[in-house]
Amino acid sequence: MGSIHSSKSSRPITSHHSNTITPCTRTHQIGALALIIVTFFLTRIFDQSLNSSSFSIPTTTTSGEYRSKNDVVRFSDSGGALFWPERGYGTHLSLKIYVYDENEINGLKHLLFGRDDMISPDSCVKGQWGTQVKIHRMLLQSRFRTRKKEEADLFFVPAYPKCVRVMGGLNDKEINQTYVKVLSQMPYFRLSGGRNHIFVFPSGAGAHLFKSWATYLNRSIILTPEGDRTDKRDTSAFNTWKDIIIPGNIDDGMTTHGSRIVEPLPLSERKHLANYLGRAQGKVGRLRLIDLSKQFPDKLECPELKFSGPNKLGRKEYFEHLRNAKFCLAPRGESSWTLRFYESFFVECVPVILSDQVELPFQNVIDYTLISIKWPSTHIGTELLDYLESIPDKDIEEMIAWGRKIRCLFAYTPGSDSCTAFNALMWELQRKVRQFHQSSETFWLHNRTIVDRNLVEFSKWKPPLHLP
């Protein structure tokens, strides 16, 4: 059989019309390689330009030097910009979130304003539970909001259950019944089994504010500051694989740019080694701290705080106490999370976590060993004070400096600043997006038609719906 290439000739193959094809020389090969390299670097630059966020938390090497990894947030060289890691998140935010309107679903207004619609959102936005309002308001004004359900990646269900409950707008039974009523009117909730629906529960109670959460929201995305509530209940409502821990709501007067309620003090001017500002609530760890402060009043401040009545501690007085120590202690209370942890970064004291079961926000990208201390709650005593006293001011200043960079991720500040709790939340939500959704009550046919158990097409599903 003949060979395609002649063994006796190195002439190029010619066409029927004898048009010569230019051979691939070494110069061509080098040029092609150079083109590939240039294309690669231009693509990387373009991807980074699409990323509207900027921020970097380094990690430490075995030699103690700081370096950046692809799986942590990275600060730009100038220090102001922040780049979210690409691994698992993508190169830029491209979310589309549908926000249910209060008039769209019968009963939803009651979860926002109470049974008589008398509770003002402005009263709900204050205090440590204000995230239930702030996240809702920010989504309404966000570029990630879509008004078309069919193109939405995720669905946000606005509700202020903690505020409504505390202010007497609904009792526990009414909250439970109203949630079930609202969910039964949402075809897209039934379609996915709730997997692409977002709910905010802003307090230590977590999703337990909705008594039947385990039945109806066990697949949904829950935003909460609380990762453990097993002190009063058998199970925690938080699931690390589907839910997201969010920072608590810090007083706006401490997080906004410009003049703050109080400014941090230099370490040399701080009166105490450590402090704990809060009520005892009969909790062992807190009671130990109070006893310890009586033994060592010059080292540990634990004032008896009054949050009501004529001797109530004002906002400014509270933060003036908090800033007057090198370390701010954050023991467990009714739940594992505490707002003092987040407040510490804004008065620039190093937070010391004394809550063993605590879950912290954005753990995929933040190395908390750089900015805080976690100490076993079983070792609250003189051993703790001796350890804190042994830490050089140089190390404290370094931890405070890293905390100063990262604290923007704990603030629900408005505007286009890339380093905010809201933007961080959007990145975490982007990881939850699925291409396909189904539930035990969802079926599909050969022509991609979605139907229910009775073979009714999705477009014809009418409330009340049978919930999965």
Side-chain angles (χ1 to χ4, degrees):
M1 296 179 64
S3 172
I4 293 178
H5 301 285
S6 171
S7 62
K8 297 180 180 180
S9 174
S10 60
R11 294 178 302 171
I13 300 173
T14 60
S15 70
H16 179 70
H17 298 288
S18 299
N19 293 329
T20 301
I21 300 176
T22 303
C24 181
T25 66
R26 185 170 183 77
T27 302
H28 291 96
Q29 293 173 343
I30 294 173
L33 180 60
L35 180 62
I36 292 172
I37 294 172
V38 170
T39 302
F40 172 79
F41 282 107
L42 286 175
T43 302
R44 297 286 293 180
I45 293 171
F46 178 70
D47 283 345
Q48 286 192 2
S49 69
L50 284 175
N51 187 352
S52 61
S53 298
S54 62
F55 178 62
S56 162
I57 293 235
T59 185
T60 52
T61 62
T62 53
S63 62
E65 297 177 348
Y66 292 113
R67 62 181 174 84
S68 293
K69 296 199 307 182
N70 191 44
D71 55 348
V72 297
V73 278
R74 297 176 294 104
F75 285 109
S76 66
D77 293 336
S78 62
L82 128 83
F83 300 98
W84 215 256
E86 293 182 15
R87 190 176 72 176
Y89 290 91
T91 59
H92 61 284
L93 284 169
S94 58
L95 274 176
K96 292 183 178 180
I97 302 177
Y98 182 86
V99 182
Y100 286 101
D101 185 83
E102 62 193 56
N103 298 311
E104 177 183 357
I105 305 293
N106 185 21
L108 190 55
K109 290 181 70 174
H110 293 164
L111 290 175
L112 293 165
F113 315 120
R115 70 179 73 85
D116 300 319
D117 299 337
M118 295 297 291
I119 297 175
S120 167
D122 290 336
S123 61
C124 295
V125 78
K126 300 174 183 178
Q128 61 181 331
W129 308 316
T131 50
Q132 58 194 332
V133 181
K134 285 187 175 180
I135 294 174
H136 180 203
R137 287 178 173 176
M138 289 179 176
L139 275 173
L140 290 176
Q141 301 298 321
S142 170
R143 65 185 177 91
F144 306 113
R145 182 188 180 189
T146 178
R147 289 171 171 79
K148 298 178 180 179
K149 292 179 182 177
E150 61 273 14
E151 70 175 20
D153 299 310
L154 300 168
F155 295 79
F156 182 81
V157 183
Y160 311 150
K162 182 64 177 181
C163 182
V164 166
R165 181 178 182 271
V166 169
M167 300 186 71
L170 294 174
N171 59 38
D172 289 345
K173 182 177 180 180
E174 290 171 326
I175 289 174
N176 197 75
Q177 292 173 339
T178 306
Y179 262 114
V180 174
K181 178 182 178 180
V182 165
L183 297 178
S184 69
Q185 298 173 69
M186 296 178 171
Y188 280 90
F189 182 88
R190 184 189 186 190
L191 177 67
S192 68
R195 290 176 175 87
N196 56 357
H197 279 58
I198 307 164
F199 298 82
V200 180
F201 293 100
S203 72
H208 288 284
L209 288 168
F210 174 24
K211 300 295 184 183
S212 298
W213 70 266
T215 301
Y216 299 105
L217 303 187
N218 56 16
R219 301 176 186 88
S220 299
I221 301 169
I222 295 173
L223 311 182
T224 178
E226 180 53 58
D228 177 77
R229 187 65 176 181
T230 55
D231 59 336
K232 287 190 174 182
R233 299 173 175 85
D234 293 334
T235 58
S236 172
F238 176 75
N239 183 316
T240 189
W241 302 112
K242 70 177 184 66
D243 302 328
I244 299 173
I245 293 291
I246 58 174
N249 183 47
I250 305 168
D251 193 305
D252 290 341
M254 291 300 296
T255 62
T256 52
H257 297 297
S259 179
R260 296 192 174 97
I261 297 173
V262 301
E263 295 296 333
L265 293 173
L267 286 187
S268 59
E269 296 181 16
R270 303 189 188 189
K271 185 178 180 181
H272 300 284
L273 172 68
N275 63 31
Y276 162 62
L277 273 69
R279 295 168 294 172
Q281 295 180 303
K283 302 301 176 183
V284 174
R286 296 185 173 197
L287 291 171
R288 286 177 181 168
L289 289 176
I290 293 172
D291 289 341
L292 201 60
S293 70
K294 294 175 181 177
Q295 299 176 49
F296 305 95
D298 293 337
K299 295 182 180 181
L300 177 60
E301 181 193 27
C302 292
E304 182 181 353
L305 300 186
K306 297 185 183 300
F307 294 94
S308 60
N311 296 321
K312 176 183 177 181
L313 197 69
R315 295 164 65 207
K316 185 176 182 180
E317 290 78 15
Y318 172 81
F319 287 110
E320 284 177 342
H321 275 281
L322 200 63
R323 71 173 178 171
N324 212 10
K326 297 178 180 180
F327 300 94
C328 292
L329 309 185
R332 183 185 180 113
E334 290 290 343
S335 57
S336 65
W337 87 283
T338 170
L339 192 64
R340 273 173 296 281
F341 173 81
Y342 303 106
E343 292 171 335
S344 300
F345 294 100
F346 294 89
V347 296
E348 298 188 1
C349 59
V350 175
V352 180
I353 303 168
L354 302 172
S355 179
D356 301 348
Q357 288 80 24
V358 71
E359 292 281 349
L360 301 172
F362 318 133
Q363 292 186 49
N364 290 328
V365 294
I366 296 177
D367 183 353
Y368 280 95
T369 63
L370 292 172
I371 58 176
S372 64
I373 294 169
K374 185 180 180 186
W375 183 267
S377 62
T378 51
H379 288 266
I380 295 176
T382 56
E383 183 182 6
L384 170 60
L385 294 183
D386 291 342
Y387 166 70
L388 296 178
E389 201 167 22
S390 72
I391 301 175
D393 281 359
K394 177 179 175 293
D395 293 347
I396 298 173
E397 292 279 15
E398 191 171 82
M399 295 182 77
I400 289 173
W402 284 119
R404 194 180 297 127
K405 286 187 175 183
I406 198 175
R407 66 188 181 189
C408 51
L409 289 179
F410 301 147
Y412 295 89
T413 50
S416 57
D417 190 353
S418 63
C419 185
T420 66
F422 180 77
N423 263 26
L425 176 57
M426 294 300 103
W427 280 109
E428 292 299 324
L429 285 172
Q430 183 155 284
R431 298 187 81 213
K432 307 294 183 182
V433 174
R434 296 184 177 194
Q435 176 65 28
F436 185 75
H437 291 281
Q438 60 91 30
S439 74
S440 59
E441 295 299 320
T442 304
F443 305 86
W444 55 90
L445 307 180
H446 77 285
N447 59 0
R448 304 184 67 196
T449 301
I450 303 297
V451 297
D452 65 8
R453 188 173 296 277
N454 296 317
L455 303 181
V456 177
E457 293 184 16
F458 174 70
S459 61
K460 298 178 181 178
W461 291 5
K462 302 297 181 185
L465 302 168
H466 177 71
L467 296 173

